[in-house]
Amino acid sequence: MKRGILTAAAGVAASALLLSACTPPGGGGNEGDGGGGGEVSVMWNQPFYSMNNNTSATNNVTNANVVYMMNDAFKYYDENLELQDNTSFGTVEQVSEDPLKVKYTYSDNAKWSDGTPVDAADLVLAWAARSGNFNTTEDAKRDDEGAVEDAGGDVFFDAAEPGLALIKDFPEISEDGKEITFEYSKPYADWEVNLTVGDSGMPAHIVAKNAIDTEDPEEAKKAVLDAIESKDKGQLAKIAEFWNTGFNMTSMPENEDLLVGSGPMKMTDFSEGQYLTLEARDDYEGDRKPKMSKITIRYNEDPMAAVQALENGEVQLINPQSTADVLQAVEGIDGVENKTADGATYEHVDLTFDNNGPFDPASYGGDEEKAKQVREAFLMSIPRGKIVNDIVKPLNDQAEIRESFTQVPGSPDYDKVVEASGIKNTYGEGNVEEAKKMLEEAGVDEAPKVRLLYAKGNARREQEFQLIKEAADQAGFEVIDNASETWSEELGSGEYDASLFGWQSTSTAVTESDANFRTGGQNNFGGFSNDEVDKLYDELQTETDPARQAEILGEVEKVLVDEGFGITLFQFPEIVAHSDQLQNVKPMTVSPTMFWNFWEWEM
């Protein structure tokens, strides 16, 4: 079974975690001078755990937030979801259309925090690691947290980005290593966001130093480039092993190499499960110089604890999971600005196809049709309308059921894709009596037991679970509470039959959903496999006509509906609340959400 969390195309929202039990130093907000003297504290719901947020086990919003502040990148999204150039770090340009060639050029200001220039070795390592093109095995052993434990001497980078897989050949590199030109094997619609958004990849010289004992930075970079160019299995296996897990941490690491970044902030304190402190770098030469000297992120899963901390002045910015009680509490605090809107995350239920459970054909002697009928009956029982009416509408009286796996409600292609998929006509708002008939027609001998995984301690998910269980049990299922504090680490384990969580977008790329539904995709935790879907995503990668792109996604979603992949529920209502002394907070609807312009924050 495949284990992991998320790809760069999605994020986990509102995960469970240990309650905060202490206050970090400098926890309160001091009045800043607008020039690097201010401090701000933020509360988040899940502790940070890796500087490399590109593996299947670590690609989580909580990691992405910190990595974003500690690293520069070629591009970033603003609050209007417009892609902005970060030219102080470098530039990206298409230099040929047929074949597609893209050139990345680093500026002289692009440097790691230890003074080493950012250059070709770092970008080539990012491509090699995240493309999957250099892996010599897919059978790596994982630990209980989903991290790669042993690849048996083979090369296994724990990542797979389909767009990067289209780059087959080693790139052209300028003599000074500042210009890198990749050639694609076929056209690719989202080339502009490949290797450009979010972060600058892992520092190749640090990876080599720790993986293959190469101390000198320049020699280390050359060793990485040589290993990739020659496809040196022995060296690449060591590099991949460290790349996969070497940057994981739950507190301040003894090895300071792990904290080397290319961006304006550096980590100075990290108390396990409690808080993480970032401070502005004096030697940062890029354009994103922060006005705040210190940003501390406190961790607590309880949304009401976040509200209380904001009211008490312990933190100045929160993004708690929204419920009617939370909204009412926030609105009752003086001196607080509240921004409420639909967020980038949407709630959904996915089913597991390959664990010998109630939705796996193997449980019925390989009878695909019977397993599909059971899946459809369970999905029909889910009271989507009641969930939205009881849980979401108190926060947003205009809330509706989200009817698409790939499109945000209100986006240009939403209605087209929904119509093509047939999801509304198939499942409507949920129907217990119809689900009961469907299950009877499937002819199962006894009530199918469905273990439903979700975040333990998450108030809204607990409410959703109760509504789902009540309805599904009436339809003839036995729904088992499989809530877990470490639910995100258990995705893909096969130790559950259905999962309830949220996807959060990290870009506007048309191929963003590829890894969710493709066979073996990094986000395809339930083992869903369909040749037609795989072929459609192959076509989508090279399709540049927006009209045809929408048609392809409509066709993908029709297969998902017809095969009983899962069901969509609602778009998250988001609450971003902050002290009115904290200026320039501008939430946006893709990761890193409210952190995207942290350098503009000031007290």
Side-chain angles (χ1 to χ4, degrees), residues 456-493:
K456 187 175 183 178
N458 184 306
R460 188 163 69 199
R461 298 245 166 82
E462 289 174 347
Q463 294 175 50
E464 292 174 58
F465 170 79
Q466 291 301 325
L467 292 177
I468 291 172
K469 175 175 174 56
E470 179 182 338
D473 285 359
Q474 290 177 18
F477 291 90
E478 181 184 345
V479 179
I480 299 169
D481 189 335
N482 211 44
S484 171
E485 291 180 347
T486 58
W487 69 274
S488 62
E489 297 166 6
E490 297 172 33
L491 288 171
S493 68

Side-chain angles (χ1 to χ4, degrees), residues 86-124:
N86 181 16
T87 56
S88 69
F89 183 74
T91 58
V92 181
E93 60 179 321
Q94 178 181 300
V95 294
S96 171
E97 186 173 350
D98 187 15
L100 175 60
K101 291 185 179 182
V102 180
K103 183 170 75 172
Y104 301 77
T105 304
Y106 288 106
S107 80
D108 292 336
N109 291 330
K111 296 177 183 177
W112 295 104
S113 53
D114 63 0
T116 304
V118 182
D119 61 19
D122 307 303
L123 194 68
V124 173

Side-chain angles (χ1 to χ4, degrees), residues 12-188:
V12 174
S15 299
L17 54 124
L18 297 174
L19 294 178
S20 181
C22 68
T23 300
N30 302 325
E31 286 192 10
D33 58 8
E39 299 180 12
V40 63
S41 289
V42 183
M43 185 161 281
W44 196 255
N45 57 9
Q46 180 182 13
F48 171 86
Y49 59 96
S50 183
M51 276 296 296
N52 182 4
N53 69 311
N54 285 302
T55 79
S56 70
T58 60
N59 202 339
N60 191 319
V61 174
T62 194
N63 295 327
N65 292 340
V66 175
V67 170
Y68 180 81
M69 290 187 280
M70 289 181 66
N71 287 276
D72 258 351
F74 288 100
K75 296 176 182 290
Y76 62 93
Y77 286 101
D78 66 14
E79 74 269 32
N80 299 314
L81 299 188
E82 294 178 355
L83 206 54
Q84 300 294 325
D85 295 321
N86 181 16
T87 56
S88 69
F89 183 74
T91 58
V92 181
E93 60 179 321
Q94 178 181 300
V95 294
S96 171
E97 186 173 350
D98 187 15
L100 175 60
K101 291 185 179 182
V102 180
K103 183 170 75 172
Y104 301 77
T105 304
Y106 288 106
S107 80
D108 292 336
N109 291 330
K111 296 177 183 177
W112 295 104
S113 53
D114 63 0
T116 304
V118 182
D119 61 19
D122 307 303
L123 194 68
V124 173
L125 174 60
W127 158 64
R130 289 152 58 180
S131 67
N133 291 347
F134 292 81
N135 288 357
T136 60
T137 183
E138 294 297 328
D139 192 27
K141 294 180 181 178
R142 298 177 183 268
D143 61 22
D144 292 339
E145 283 72 45
V148 173
E149 196 171 44
D150 182 15
D154 276 302
V155 181
F156 182 75
F157 288 102
D158 187 21
E161 296 180 27
L164 292 178
L166 298 177
I167 302 172
K168 304 294 185 184
D169 299 327
F170 194 81
E172 297 176 17
I173 300 174
S174 65
E175 189 173 341
D176 64 359
K178 290 291 188 180
E179 296 182 0
I180 307 96
T181 302
F182 287 106
E183 180 178 323
Y184 286 74
S185 58
K186 58 178 73 173
Y188 182 59

Side-chain angles (χ1 to χ4, degrees), residues 81 342-343 346 396 398-404 406-418 424 570-571 589:
L81 299 188
D342 280 343
Y346 79 90
N396 175 9
Q398 302 299 312
E400 296 180 350
I401 297 170
R402 169 162 164 156
E403 302 285 7
S404 172
T406 67
Q407 305 297 302
V408 177
S411 62
D413 296 325
Y414 180 79
D415 291 339
K416 299 175 190 174
V417 171
V418 170
K424 293 175 75 171
F570 57 84
Q571 201 73 17
T589 55

Side-chain angles (χ1 to χ4, degrees), residues 113 206 209 252-261:
S113 53
I206 297 298
K209 177 182 177 180
M252 201 69 179
E254 293 182 7
N255 183 358
E256 293 184 358
D257 286 349
L258 307 185
L259 302 181
V260 170

Side-chain angles (χ1 to χ4, degrees), residues 352-484:
T352 304
F353 286 66
D354 60 352
N355 68 339
N356 293 304
F359 307 127
D360 184 352
S363 299
Y364 311 104
D367 190 333
E368 298 273 357
E369 186 60 30
K370 189 170 187 175
K372 186 170 80 166
Q373 287 178 306
V374 175
R375 292 195 298 268
E376 290 173 338
F378 181 73
L379 297 176
M380 177 62 77
S381 75
I382 294 177
R384 298 200 296 163
K386 186 171 179 58
I387 288 171
V388 170
N389 287 332
D390 291 4
I391 299 175
V392 188
K393 282 199 172 182
L395 293 161
N396 175 9
D397 59 8
Q398 302 299 312
E400 296 180 350
I401 297 170
R402 169 162 164 156
E403 302 285 7
S404 172
F405 292 94
T406 67
Q407 305 297 302
V408 177
S411 62
D413 296 325
Y414 180 79
D415 291 339
K416 299 175 190 174
V417 171
V418 170
E419 183 178 359
S421 76
I423 189 171
K424 293 175 75 171
N425 292 334
T426 302
Y427 293 113
E429 296 190 358
N431 187 320
V432 170
E433 291 304 316
E434 184 63 26
K436 188 174 183 179
K437 292 178 185 176
M438 294 167 71
L439 188 58
E440 291 173 352
E441 290 173 2
V444 294
D445 296 330
E446 57 185 38
K449 296 181 179 180
V450 180
R451 298 166 296 173
L452 182 57
L453 175 70
Y454 65 97
K456 187 175 183 178
N458 184 306
R460 188 163 69 199
R461 298 245 166 82
E462 289 174 347
Q463 294 175 50
E464 292 174 58
F465 170 79
Q466 291 301 325
L467 292 177
I468 291 172
K469 175 175 174 56
E470 179 182 338
D473 285 359
Q474 290 177 18
F477 291 90
E478 181 184 345
V479 179
I480 299 169
D481 189 335
N482 211 44
S484 171

